[in-house]
């Protein structure tokens, strides 16, 4: 095995490599880390870049892929690309689930046999509370999309982002009742704090963090490689570079080795104090 | 003069650059290179090794650095190293001579230093091999490993000269203030 494969096998490096497929989005969420919106520069990674780096990730010894954005499904050829990625390594794609019309679902259907899971954001059990954070009709679209994806055979995870570290107990229980009713088991429900970066820098309850607080998951963007998917955030149109590992991304070997060097240079211990995943 | 790029501040310093910011403002060269952490990561140890203390004496190295910087007309490096040179023992007249404000053979009488400066002039401005008389004169005073190191020192200084000049990196105000006290500010 190589150095990276050993580090992944030993738990020194997380096994997942994240790709920011694009930065633009059809929503303008209040806490968006990347300040995404319809007019954001797209800063895309092409399908060929994604597939090439996925192959490199597998060869190095990484074990999983993640695709995030922006809203990844705004990129027209994403389903085909996801099929190629999930044929290389198990893949999770993060989405706001607002674009799952009949045509997109039909394109995704053949991929259900692959190790491809879909992580969907849902922040509150009440439409008005959720939609205030994430935009009009968001709740209804998510409630519509999740059972359809589950019905196609996809593993669907629900990610709930809340100010502060805790969700109100009653709301939490109602949200769990809701996701169970949609076909998503408790193990596939993540609750995480709003991180004080990007558009959330001024959000009450948002949590500041240092690199030691977040898992060092190699994260590839059009602007470089980062320590974590919480790294390449945008504020006032400027990309944050405090968690930048290298500008070079391809071949993946260099940022992977630099990340490992950085990880080994810090005290060993639990990799994520506040459990931001 | 306004720098051609925004310099990376401590709050934005990438992970590989952070150690350089731990003691405060690391200066504009780090602030520029920090935009490309993997380049900074190899460039600064290289520059630090070549321009920093080695088996070749500080005076010799400052002669090379300041002379090269003057030939390349680097505002940042000439001023910064005029200040360094004064603080490491070079005379003000020597600084002026290295900057061609007076002919340097009127100030530098030591044959070894004259051979060194002739070598630097050829390496920094020449296009082909250093001419035999210049090479022979240097070899009379320096063993092979020093000739190699001195040549690398000229090259590394030229790299910094072009980086600092092209990007119009600002000279530290304290250095300029010290130079002003002796009317030694350049450019
Ligand atoms: S949080 Fe996600 S869905 Fe919301 S604006 Fe940002 S990228 Fe889009």
């Amino acid at each position: 095995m190589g150095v990276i494969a050993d580090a992944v096998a030993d738990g020194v490096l997380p096994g997942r490599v994240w790709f920011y497929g694009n930065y633009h989005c059809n929503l303008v969420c209040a806490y968006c880390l990347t300040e995404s919106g319809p007019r954001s520069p797209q800063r895309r990674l092409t399908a060929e870049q994604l597939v090439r780096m996925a192959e490199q990730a597998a060869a190095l010894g990484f074990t999983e892929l993640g695709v995030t954005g922006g809203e990844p499904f705004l990129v027209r050829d994403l389903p085909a690309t996801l099929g190629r990625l999930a044929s290389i390594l198990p893949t999770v794609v993060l989405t706001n689930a607002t674009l799952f019309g009949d045509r997109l679902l039909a394109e995704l259907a053949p991929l259900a046999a692959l190790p491809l899971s879909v992580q969907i954001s849902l922040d509150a059990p009440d439409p008005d509370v959720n939609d205030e954070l994430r935009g009009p009709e968001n709740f209804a679209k998510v409630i519509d999309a999740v059972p359809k994806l589950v019905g196609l055979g996809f593993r669907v995870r629900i990610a709930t982002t809340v100010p502060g570290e805790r969700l109100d107990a009653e709301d939490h229980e109602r949200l769990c009742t809701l996701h169970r009713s949609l076909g998503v088991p408790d193990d596939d429900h993540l609750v995480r704090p709003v991180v004080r970066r990007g558009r959330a820098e001024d959000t009450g309850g948002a949590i500041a963090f240092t690199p030691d607080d977040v898992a060092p998951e190699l994260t590839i963007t059009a602007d470089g490689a980062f320590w974590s998917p919480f790294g390449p955030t945008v504020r006032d149109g400027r990309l944050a570079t405090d968690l930048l590992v290298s500008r070079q991304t391809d071949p993946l070997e260099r940022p992977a080795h630099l990340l490992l060097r950085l990880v080994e240079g810090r005290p060993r211990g639990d990799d994520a104090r506040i459990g931001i995943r | 003069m306004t720098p051609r790029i925004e310099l990376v501040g401590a709050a934005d310093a990438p992970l590989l650059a952070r150690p350089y910011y731990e003691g405060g403002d690391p200066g504009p060269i780090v602030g520029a290179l920090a935009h490309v952490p993997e380049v900074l990561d190899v460039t600064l140890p290289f520059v630090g090794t070549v321009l920093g203390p080695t088996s070749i004496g500080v005076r010799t190295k400052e002669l090379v650095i300041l002379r090269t910087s003057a030939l390349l007309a680097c505002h940042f490096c000439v001023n910064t190293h005029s200040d360094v040179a004064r603080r490491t023992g070079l005379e003000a007249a020597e600084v002026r001579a290295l900057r061609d404000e007076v002919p340097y053979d009127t100030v530098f009488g030591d044959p070894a230093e004259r051979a060194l400066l002739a070598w630097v002039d050829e390496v920094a401005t020449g296009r082909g091999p250093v001419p035999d008389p210049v090479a022979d004169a240097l070899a009379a005073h320096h063993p092979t490993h020093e000739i190699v190191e001195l040549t690398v020192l000229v090259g590394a200084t030229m790299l910094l000269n072009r980086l600092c000049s092209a990007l119009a990196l600002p000279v530290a105000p304290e250095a300029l203030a010290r130079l002003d006290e002796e009317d030694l500010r350049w450019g």
Side-chain angles (χ1 to χ4, degrees):
Chain A
M1 287 206 298
V3 175
I4 299 298
D6 286 345
V8 170
D10 294 345
V12 175
L13 270 190
R16 183 178 289 146
V17 175
W18 286 98
F19 297 119
Y20 269 71
N22 61 302
Y23 269 78
H24 63 310
C25 189
N26 54 326
L27 302 187
V28 191
C29 298
Y31 55 71
C32 183
L33 290 170
T34 48
E35 234 177 36
S36 292
R39 282 193 288 278
S40 301
Q42 297 193 11
R43 290 150 68 197
R44 284 180 53 181
L45 294 171
T46 66
E48 293 316 313
Q49 286 176 305
L50 289 167
V51 170
R52 189 167 59 243
M53 286 192 276
E55 287 167 343
Q56 293 166 1
L60 284 167
F62 288 102
T63 53
E64 292 175 69
L65 304 173
V67 178
T68 185
E71 169 48 46
F73 284 99
L74 284 177
V75 177
R76 193 61 204 92
D77 61 358
L78 186 74
T81 308
L82 288 174
R84 295 169 73 189
L85 297 179
S87 301
I88 298 167
L89 284 174
T91 301
V92 60
V93 58
L94 275 51
T95 174
N96 60 33
T98 57
L99 300 171
F100 291 122
D102 290 344
R103 190 175 73 176
L104 181 53
L105 288 168
E107 287 176 6
L108 285 172
L111 308 183
L114 295 170
L116 173 65
S117 53
V118 183
Q119 181 172 314
I120 294 174
S121 303
L122 182 66
D123 292 345
D126 300 301
D128 52 341
V129 177
N130 178 81
D131 292 356
E132 189 184 330
L133 290 165
R134 302 189 55 79
E137 309 289 317
N138 176 261
F139 185 91
K141 287 176 180 167
V142 171
I143 299 304
D144 180 57
V146 172
K148 288 178 178 170
L149 288 163
V150 171
L152 287 174
F154 286 103
R155 178 181 179 189
V156 176
R157 301 199 303 183
I158 296 288
T160 300
T161 306
V162 288
E165 293 192 43
R166 286 174 180 275
L167 186 62
D168 171 87
E170 191 193 325
D171 282 347
H172 195 160
E173 190 45 45
R174 289 171 55 226
L175 192 55
C176 290
T177 303
L178 176 62
H179 73 65
R180 286 176 207 132
S181 76
L182 299 173
V184 177
D186 289 356
D187 282 351
D188 287 332
H189 181 210
L190 297 81
V191 180
R192 57 194 186 181
V194 174
V195 172
R196 195 184 299 153
R197 287 173 78 90
R199 208 177 270 141
E201 251 174 46
D202 309 320
T203 302
I207 286 182
F209 69 86
T210 69
D212 285 344
D213 296 325
V214 288
E217 293 182 297
L218 183 60
T219 299
I220 303 300
T221 75
D223 299 294
F226 288 79
W227 172 276
S228 143
F230 291 92
T233 57
V234 178
R235 178 63 174 161
D236 296 331
R238 282 169 52 102
L239 177 77
T241 54
D242 57 336
L243 296 179
L244 177 68
V245 171
S246 66
R247 293 289 181 180
Q248 182 194 331
T249 53
D250 181 5
L252 208 59
E253 193 173 1
R254 185 194 293 267
H257 280 94
L258 288 173
L259 179 67
L260 178 58
R261 204 182 90 197
L262 287 163
V263 168
E264 289 180 329
R266 67 179 181 153
R268 292 281 170 85
D270 288 344
D271 64 355
R273 269 199 286 125
I274 57 177
I276 303 173
R277 295 282 181 170
Chain B
M1 200 181 304
T2 314
R4 297 291 182 259
I5 57 164
E6 193 176 332
L7 301 174
V8 176
D12 297 318
L15 297 158
L16 289 167
R18 282 192 199 174
Y20 296 98
Y21 287 78
E22 276 168 7
D25 179 2
I29 294 176
V30 172
L33 290 174
H35 282 286
V36 198
E38 65 271 41
V39 171
L40 171 140
D41 188 48
V42 293
T43 304
L44 287 180
F46 165 72
V47 165
T49 300
V50 176
L51 274 77
T54 61
S55 66
I56 294 179
V58 173
R59 175 181 168 85
T60 301
K61 296 188 91 157
E62 278 309 316
L63 293 178
V64 173
I65 296 166
L66 183 52
R67 179 65 187 161
T68 303
S69 302
L71 292 168
L72 274 279
C74 176
H75 182 267
F76 179 91
C77 296
V78 169
N79 279 305
T80 301
H81 279 277
S82 293
D83 179 49
V84 174
R86 286 294 287 133
R87 290 189 287 133
T88 52
L90 270 73
E91 299 296 331
E94 292 175 323
V95 168
R96 291 188 196 285
L98 292 167
R99 301 180 341 185
D100 276 338
E101 289 159 28
V102 292
Y104 67 66
D105 51 4
T106 65
V107 174
F108 292 97
D110 177 357
E113 290 189 341
R114 288 167 75 138
L116 174 69
L117 294 174
W119 173 268
V120 172
D121 288 5
E122 285 297 337
V123 174
T125 64
R127 284 290 176 271
V130 173
D132 288 344
V134 176
D136 292 345
L138 189 74
H141 301 284
H142 293 275
T144 302
H145 69 87
E146 290 189 3
I147 294 172
V148 172
E149 188 180 332
L150 290 165
T151 309
V152 174
L153 178 58
V154 175
T157 303
M158 291 170 72
L159 180 150
L160 292 175
N161 291 157
R162 292 309 301 143
L163 179 79
C164 300
S165 291
L167 301 181
L169 300 187
V171 183
E174 317 83 70
L176 290 175
R178 282 191 294 269
L179 293 174
D180 285 343
E181 285 173 15
E182 300 188 285
D183 199 22
L184 267 182
R185 186 192 286 226
W186 186 86

